[in-house]
Amino acid sequence: MFSVWLDPCYFASQWDDPGQLGEGLSDRIIRTELQQGGGPAETAPTSAYSSPARSLGDTGITPLSPSHIVNDADPNVSEQQTFLVVVAIDFGTTSSGYAYSFTKEPECIHVMRRWEGGDPGVSNQKTPTTILLTPERKFHSFGYAARDFYHDLDPTEAKQWLYLEKFKMKLHTTGDLTMDTDLTAANGKKVKALEIFAYALQYFKEQALKELSDQAGSEFENSDVRWVITVPAIWKQPAKQFMRQAAYQAGLASPENSEQLIIALEPEAASIYCRKLRLHQMIELSGKVAVNGYSASDTVGAGFAQAKEHVRRNRQSRTFLVENVIGEIWSELEEGDKYVVVDSGGGTVDLTVHQIRLPEGHLKELYKATGGPYGSLGVDYEFEKLLCKIFGEDFIEQFKIKRPAAWVDLMIAFESRKRAAAPDRTNPLNITLPFSFIDYYKKFRGHSVEHALRKSNVDFVKWSSQGMLRMSPDAMNALFKPTIDSIIEHLRDLFQKPEVCTVKFLFLVGGFAEAPLLQQAVHAAFGDKCRIIIPQDVGLTILKGAVLFGLDPAVIKVRRSPLTYGVGGKHPPEKLLVKDGTRWCTDVFDKFISADQSVALGELVKRSYTPAKPSQLVIVINIYSSEHDTVSFITDPGVKKCGTLRLDLTGTSGTAVPARREIQTLMQFGDTEIKATAIDIATSKSVKVGIDFLNY
């Protein structure tokens, strides 16, 4: 049976003028738009409040079955393919990496080989999410290799190369994401986003297969690998589908073998790993008892800094042992206890609320994933605003275009100083300005950068005679404030929810969780409400959790639907329309599931549709979504079309086709992506199902 993947959203309908429509269909008709390869709609018996289907050369479909949710497994799903190894790719906004585990040794998680290059004081167990294309737009390099090669190019030559960094956020910020969405390289040139993501995933695929082959002593086949790609939980379905399509283009999996690729939600992956934590693998900011020798009365960042140093000293071993038991952290948890995972990364902050189910340690999501674009990139943005204030927005924009490699150098210099920011810091932070910045500014303005600083009235940034910007600690802290304030405000809103107010733990994970300023702010705001835990080597928490998820995708037993979705509904008198003696009910909406409603893994929604005429080959149903949980019509505020569901009936017809063919569609909503399958009841043959949230 073919399967597709979709996110919680409406199966609803879009109506045209009934004057353009064919005759009415049967009872319980839910109005849908569809496409068919020719011929008008066949007439069928009508009744009060039945809905029309658009003709215009297309034919209609008739839903036969009412809404109902069942928990029985789909008998037509074949036995799952077995894999030798699970490889997880943590595709981050600022840095990325992979890890893997052999299915026969699930307790051992191997983190990828150390990357060449890197910055002083910055972990290089992951590599920057940077990619370089040649002037001919061919893939050249990724990560540190891309960054270093680009840095060494002559400025004139660099303008011809396409260098991209931190491009993952485009999938979150683009409201009308499609397969043709563009990204802008450092030199201002456009390139297809799908190509860039596919190049990046193909790079990780090749690196991982080479490492596996070296370990095995023979060629390791891609078919032996189950791939896991991490995405933010707050991503909508178009972004998830985009990532899946990029993975298909990169050769990780294929539409025909979609089960080879799993999409993991980043805070869920972190939560899965945190279940396994032992006391020596975490730092507690707010505990009454000492953990790792530090108590809450110690400086917030002290224990964490010691732990990071310990991790760095022991990085020669890239294998992490994960006991096949619940970690010591859960010894204090009772059935039903709750905790929050705050995944603070480079681009987004993702919040998820889980409840532990003992004794197996399965997890139940208690509140739909929330968050926003409050990652560490916000600090970079504030720094850029500061530079614009000092040197002028017109100059900064021109410098980025004319000296793209030097701009990258400047942001690398800022990144290392950004990581040195701390609540108790007293000495200034020096940021080296590239020579080309100083030189280009003098040509652009006719005076020196030192003169610009004196005239800018920015008192907390001074010029050093060594060619550096000297920032006071307060100045650096001010760059963090807007982003951290947004995170704290979002957390406060979350803690107001009834499901969240009694949480026992707050796990702070993701690369931005290393920032002492964020740690202090979270501790100050919530230290009296729950225990705040940071895993050691916090930047790898999601990566390791994604491997565990790939080994056991059923560990999250209950999720919350982020959206309301459905295909039809009530029939009030004001929606009744009479045309040529036929009574129609327009714009109706039949709810499948509500926003924030619990849905169990494997829970199914069944719908049956019948083509308007037996010869119809294709049914295309419009999909609508809403964040509201009380929706009656597709014309209600906040209801919008978000995609299409396509049922391909070719190859399912038997020798004797019944007058009313029933196509049964099964949809599963409790996974990270929704699965849909379909079968022709008359022939018992599978119906190919397609879903499209990118081009509709």
Side-chain angles (χ1 to χ4, degrees), residues 62-82:
T62 308
L64 298 176
S65 60
S67 296
H68 60 285
I69 296 180
V70 293
N71 288 309
D72 56 313
D74 180 1
N76 299 293
V77 175
S78 58
E79 191 174 324
Q80 285 194 343
Q81 181 180 349
T82 56

Side-chain angles (χ1 to χ4, degrees), residues 439-455:
D439 181 61
Y440 189 69
Y441 183 79
K442 190 162 188 177
K443 291 176 181 174
F444 190 88
R445 289 275 190 245
H447 55 253
S448 67
V449 294
E450 185 179 2
H451 179 267
L453 275 163
R454 283 200 306 269
K455 294 292 186 183

Side-chain angles (χ1 to χ4, degrees), residues 5 80 83 85-89 99-101 103 106 109 226-231 240 244 259 261-276 322 354 363 541-559 601 668 670-673 675:
W5 308 76
Q80 285 194 343
F83 302 98
V85 66
V86 169
V87 179
I89 300 172
Y100 58 93
S101 178
T103 52
I109 299 176
R226 161 164 272 176
W227 296 95
V228 181
I229 298 177
T230 65
V231 303
K240 292 181 187 175
R244 181 170 280 276
E259 296 284 346
L261 171 65
I262 296 177
I263 299 294
L265 307 182
E266 288 163 0
E268 280 192 0
S271 177
I272 292 165
Y273 180 71
C274 287
R275 294 178 319 141
K276 305 281 190 178
V322 181
H354 279 160
L363 302 175
T541 301
I542 292 163
L543 188 52
K544 294 182 228 175
V547 173
L548 295 174
F549 181 65
L551 292 166
D552 181 16
V555 65
I556 310 282
K557 294 297 183 185
V558 180
R559 289 183 173 87
L601 186 66
Q668 180 179 324
D671 214 329
T672 57
E673 303 167 277
K675 301 177 184 178

Side-chain angles (χ1 to χ4, degrees), residues 44 60 73 115 136 188 200 233 298 326 328 404 409 440 520 567 569 605 642:
W115 302 97
E136 295 75 35
D298 290 308
I326 301 303
E328 290 167 305
D409 285 349
Y440 189 69
Q520 183 197 50
V567 292
V605 173
C642 65

Side-chain angles (χ1 to χ4, degrees), residues 430-479:
N430 296 323
I431 300 166
T432 303
L433 284 181
F435 171 76
S436 59
F437 185 99
I438 299 168
D439 181 61
Y440 189 69
Y441 183 79
K442 190 162 188 177
K443 291 176 181 174
F444 190 88
R445 289 275 190 245
H447 55 253
S448 67
V449 294
E450 185 179 2
H451 179 267
L453 275 163
R454 283 200 306 269
K455 294 292 186 183
S456 68
N457 296 321
V458 179
D459 296 333
F460 42 78
V461 179
K462 305 295 183 184
W463 177 247
S464 161
S465 58
Q466 287 81 31
M468 298 178 180
L469 292 179
R470 178 166 289 177
M471 295 184 68
S472 71
D474 287 344
M476 179 62 82
N477 295 357
L479 300 182

Side-chain angles (χ1 to χ4, degrees), residues 16 42 65 81 87 99 212 268 295 489 535 544 663:
D16 294 301
E42 185 178 80
S65 60
Q81 181 180 349
V87 179
L212 289 167
E268 280 192 0
S295 67
E489 182 182 355
K544 294 182 228 175
I663 309 300

